[in-house]
Amino acid sequence: MPTNVPPQYREAEHRFREARSTEEKIACLKEMYAILPKHKGTEKLQADLKTRMSKLQESSERQQRKKGFDPYHVAKGEVAQIVLVGAPNAGKSSFVAATTNARPEVAEFPFTTQLPLVAMMPVMDLQFELVDTPPVPEGGMPPWFPNLVRQADAVLLLCDLSNDDGPFEAQAILDQLEAARVHLDRSRHELLDDGHCFRRTLLVATKTDAPGAAQRLDDLRTLLGDRFLVFPISATMKEGLEPVGLALFDALGILRVYTKQPGRPADHDRPYVMLKGTRIRDLALRIHKDIAASLRHARVWGPSAVFPGQEVHGDHTLLDGDIVEIHAG
Ligand SMILES: Nc1nc2c(ncn2[C@@H]2O[C@H](COP(=O)(O)OP(=O)(O)O)[C@@H](O)[C@H]2O)c(=O)[nH]1
Ligand SMILES: [Mg+2]
């Protein structure tokens, strides 16, 4: 193991060791791979990471086949996957570089990014998995592209404000995806029986620092402002980035719940990520099926509690930021 890996690699490695689920372990390995400088000295480590990823991937696929579909696909220990789409040069890789520890190649010529790259974006005390996509060849969208969008928990559509064609390029991508039965939508997120797929999407208007950007932002709002919420950002100036993360959190419809043991402080390191509408009994089930089976009551501190430490039962609905002490057995 070479000792000259960046500190962010060590952080990801630490999270890997703490990871509870296979999905989370894979995400950490992908992140370690993205952070790792690619040169001769790290070749062995690169190969080693790839082997570990494919082994875990296989075991995760075996588990998935056994389990079937899990509606809590943003489950505890798993991460929400956010796919970036946009024309070549729209600023996708710059967005990833500005919001994560990964260092994708950024260049002023298109077609710089060759393969999808995964990196973790910190949002509050969570991490979302960003997928930076290679450019779609002009004239045809290869099937891997809509497939990547289909499996996303949310999509960021990037539109270049430094270029008069920006809004039309974004529109062209929407049209191409629709031809592949993938519809980017402000809030709709579902897969229909006929194969049509809707994905919740935020429109990110990039390069607000570029000359003429303000006028083009107006044009973009005219063209697509009814269809999507628009988030103007500058990766160069690091402006407008945080609202994108918070809006993703909102769009995903998730909430964070912290657990505690009686007489002990709450575990603030690792929130359980649940879908909105989650009740105490869902949380108990997430922790362990035996706990759910022997659940007696719970005590709640935080937004859903009428007073701190309120005693509640299985049907109590949780809110983001709640702290829960489960009494079972
Ligand atoms: N002025 C300005 N240029 C940017 C910004 N973000 C990206 N760029 C430039 O736009 C070009 C394409 O960026 P890149 O991130 O590689 O785009 P990608 O092809 O979508 O991944 C590069 O020259 C970047 O330096 C920004 O916020 N402001
Ligand atoms: Mg790129």
Side-chain angles (χ1 to χ4, degrees):
M1 161 75 73
T3 48
N4 59 345
V5 294
Q8 292 90 342
Y9 181 95
R10 299 270 179 227
E11 282 164 28
E13 192 174 35
H14 179 72
R15 264 185 274 123
F16 171 78
R17 280 196 228 101
E18 306 249 291
R20 294 181 195 172
S21 73
T22 310
E23 285 69 28
E24 194 183 9
K25 283 188 185 141
I26 294 172
C28 293
L29 286 175
K30 282 187 190 163
E31 189 186 359
M32 286 155 68
Y33 186 81
I35 292 167
L36 192 66
K38 313 290 185 299
H39 56 68
K40 262 230 138 0
T42 63
E43 265 174 12
K44 203 170 160 294
L45 190 51
Q46 289 179 49
D48 178 55
L49 287 174
K50 280 191 194 156
T51 315
R52 284 154 78 190
M53 273 189 264
S54 69
K55 279 201 182 128
L56 282 174
Q57 195 72 48
E58 272 170 40
S59 100
S60 144
E61 278 161 20
R62 270 199 307 275
Q63 286 170 13
Q64 280 303 322
R65 275 197 295 273
K66 250 193 262 165
K67 264 200 311 203
F69 175 68
D70 174 12
Y72 288 99
H73 61 296
V74 239
K76 167 76 171 167
E78 294 173 22
V79 279
Q81 191 178 72
I82 319 294
V83 172
L84 276 76
V85 307
N89 260 347
K92 299 179 291 298
S93 300
S94 301
F95 181 86
V96 171
T99 55
T100 75
N101 289 326
R103 291 292 161 260
E105 271 186 274
V106 172
E108 61 269 10
F109 50 90
F111 305 103
T112 309
T113 311
Q114 296 304 327
L115 287 170
L117 177 138
V118 176
M120 304 308 284
M121 175 185 190
V123 175
M124 298 181 287
D125 49 358
L126 300 178
Q127 304 257 351
F128 296 154
E129 189 178 278
L130 289 188
V131 183
D132 186 10
T133 54
V136 171
E138 231 172 293
M141 191 175 263
W144 61 259
F145 193 86
N147 288 342
L148 208 56
V149 178
R150 273 172 186 274
Q151 72 176 33
D153 296 300
V155 175
L156 295 179
L157 172 62
L158 272 66
C159 174
D160 187 349
L161 295 181
S162 75
N163 166 359
D164 283 338
D165 291 339
F168 306 102
E169 289 174 343
Q171 180 66 58
I173 291 187
L174 290 171
D175 296 344
Q176 279 179 297
L177 280 170
E178 284 190 4
R181 295 192 289 184
V182 176
H183 311 274
L184 302 190
D185 192 275
R186 175 195 294 257
S187 57
R188 215 169 149 193
H189 191 86
E190 58 182 325
L191 178 62
L192 305 183
D193 286 342
D194 59 8
H196 282 269
C197 170
F198 291 81
R199 284 295 164 253
R200 51 171 90 92
T201 300
L202 307 179
L203 180 54
V204 177
T206 62
K207 315 190 197 178
T208 52
D209 59 292
Q215 177 59 48
R216 293 190 196 99
L217 180 59
D218 286 345
D219 298 344
L220 177 67
R221 286 207 158 106
T222 308
L223 189 68
L224 290 170
D226 287 344
R227 218 177 134 178
F228 300 105
L229 291 177
V230 181
F231 293 83
I233 66 130
S234 164
T236 309
M237 312 298 285
K238 297 232 171 188
E239 278 170 8
L241 300 171
E242 201 177 319
V244 177
L246 298 179
L248 281 171
F249 178 84
D250 255 9
L252 288 164
I254 54 181
L255 53 85
R256 298 160 299 160
V257 179
Y258 304 84
T259 52
K260 76 184 279 303
Q261 303 286 333
R264 304 259 297 273
D267 175 8
H268 274 289
D269 289 347
R270 314 247 331 167
Y272 281 85
V273 177
M274 312 285 295
L275 294 175
K276 276 189 185 152
T278 283
R279 292 165 191 261
I280 289 284
R281 71 168 83 84
D282 305 313
L283 174 68
L285 194 60
R286 176 75 65 76
I287 298 169
H288 197 280
K289 63 178 189 326
D290 294 346
I291 292 185
S294 62
L295 175 68
R296 283 187 284 124
H297 64 270
R299 287 165 55 108
V300 181
W301 290 255
S304 81
V306 175
F307 56 88
Q310 185 195 357
E311 185 173 312
V312 297
H313 292 91
D315 60 357
H316 176 81
T317 303
L318 292 163
L319 292 174
D320 182 49
D322 276 345
I323 298 170
V324 178
E325 184 181 281
I326 298 241
H327 293 260

